[in-house]
Amino acid sequence: MKYCSAFYTDIGIKKSTNEDSMLLQHAATEYGEVVFAVVCDGMGGLDKGELASAELIRAFDSWFRTELPPMIAEKTVEFKLRDSWIDLVTHMDDKISRYGARNGFSLGTTVVCLLLLQGRYYVMNIGDSRCYLLRDQIYQVTKDHTVVQLEVDNGLLTPEQALVDPRRNMLLQCVGASDYVRPDFFCGEIQKNDVYLLCCDGFRHVVAPAEIYEELNVRNIPNDQAIVNRLRGLTEVIKARGETDNISALAVCAR
């Protein structure tokens, strides 16, 4: 399987700092091409959220370079990946939390990551940054760790009410500001012409899933530059509709 991929980020119309951070890595191996992507949405005010998200991105970059290759060579990814990612985010949750405590402020970050390897996709998330899968239609792979999502699950809110609920940004957990983190994991088979979209919440608050699918389905993104153009176009629509958060997204297309 071959892949095209790209990302786009924008500070938005209100904030003075972009607290989002992203990682996109490709590697050629004897087992085929490997793609690893991460989107983190930091929080904490001023540049503290940027610090939290950037620290987690650096940790995942190091993981990709040093810990993943032996797993691939030993063919133990299926067995070790979940534990490896849990260890990483647990360590970073403690590290970021202790840094904030020493300096007298709170900071944290969401995370959603995607690994494409040997015909399978692996996804992990903490917080409300999302992964979507675009095939015959758009599917939301991840589930938000938010107050409103919990109330939807418990039948106290409808999905339509959750979209406009003022508590929609209240997180139940994030890396750095939680007593513990419990990631969700998802996996499945990659199909030709799949498109995987990772995004922060600022990217998807004011656009409908159908609009995302119309722009980012496989027919519209034949190469990396086309992905950038489509993400930039959606970002301009999002800003025109008044979104005040940072806006970041990353897409990978299987060919």
Side-chain angles (χ1 to χ4, degrees):
M1 195 79 70
K2 297 294 184 181
Y3 303 96
C4 60
S5 63
F7 60 86
Y8 190 79
T9 187
D10 193 290
I11 196 171
I13 63 174
K14 184 176 180 180
K15 291 191 173 183
S16 58
T17 302
N18 191 338
E19 296 180 297
D20 296 340
S21 298
M22 291 184 285
L23 173 68
L24 179 59
Q25 293 280 20
H26 287 246
T29 77
E30 61 182 295
Y31 307 100
E33 187 175 1
V34 178
V35 179
F36 183 53
V38 188
V39 170
C40 294
D41 181 356
M43 63 213 71
L46 299 177
D47 61 350
K48 301 180 184 68
E50 181 184 16
L51 174 63
S53 64
E55 278 293 302
L56 189 54
I57 287 292
R58 279 191 284 270
F60 271 112
D61 184 52
S62 176
W63 174 88
F64 177 79
R65 297 173 185 276
T66 62
E67 296 190 37
L68 180 60
M71 291 187 207
I72 298 174
E74 297 168 11
K75 299 183 180 179
T76 57
V77 171
E78 290 274 358
F79 306 102
K80 293 186 177 180
L81 184 61
R82 180 188 295 255
D83 289 343
S84 183
W85 279 354
I86 289 175
D87 288 346
L88 188 154
V89 295
T90 300
H91 170 72
M92 292 305 298
D93 181 56
D94 181 64
K95 180 180 179 180
I96 294 170
S97 176
R98 285 189 286 107
Y99 176 84
R102 287 196 306 270
N103 290 278
F105 52 75
S106 178
L107 71 167
T109 181
T110 70
V111 59
V112 58
C113 59
L114 167 73
L115 177 67
L116 303 179
L117 172 66
Q118 296 175 323
R120 291 183 62 78
Y121 68 83
Y122 304 90
V123 174
M124 181 194 74
N125 78 295
I126 299 169
D128 62 353
S129 293
R130 289 181 179 177
C131 175
Y132 291 95
L133 169 58
L134 288 69
R135 281 182 177 162
D136 56 315
Q137 58 181 313
I138 186 169
Y139 302 91
Q140 184 179 328
V141 176
T142 54
K143 180 182 283 190
D144 299 341
H145 299 143
T146 59
V147 170
V148 294
Q149 182 61 58
L150 181 62
E151 296 203 350
V152 169
D153 293 343
N154 291 332
L156 301 175
L157 282 177
T158 67
E160 293 73 24
Q161 290 171 327
L163 290 174
V164 295
D165 192 289
R167 302 167 299 164
R168 67 183 183 180
N169 293 328
M170 292 179 61
L171 298 178
L172 295 175
Q173 59 171 327
C174 66
V175 181
S178 298
D179 293 333
Y180 63 93
V181 287
R182 255 189 331 196
D184 284 339
F185 295 88
F186 310 87
C187 61
E189 297 293 326
I190 301 170
Q191 295 183 16
K192 186 177 181 180
N193 296 327
D194 276 353
V195 178
Y196 299 87
L197 172 69
L198 306 185
C199 65
C200 67
D201 61 331
F203 182 82
R204 44 87 178 170
H205 276 155
V206 296
V207 291
E211 293 178 284
I212 295 174
Y213 184 79
E214 179 62 30
E215 290 296 316
L216 292 173
N217 69 78
V218 66
R219 296 184 302 275
N220 289 334
I221 50 173
N223 51 49
D224 295 358
Q225 188 57 52
I227 294 175
V228 174
N229 293 342
R230 294 285 176 171
L231 291 176
R232 181 189 294 116
L234 276 168
T235 297
E236 292 306 313
V237 169
I238 291 164
K239 290 162 63 177
R241 292 179 182 177
E243 174 59 55
T244 58
D245 204 352
N246 304 142
I247 304 164
S248 300
L250 182 159
V252 183
C253 180
R255 293 295 184 183

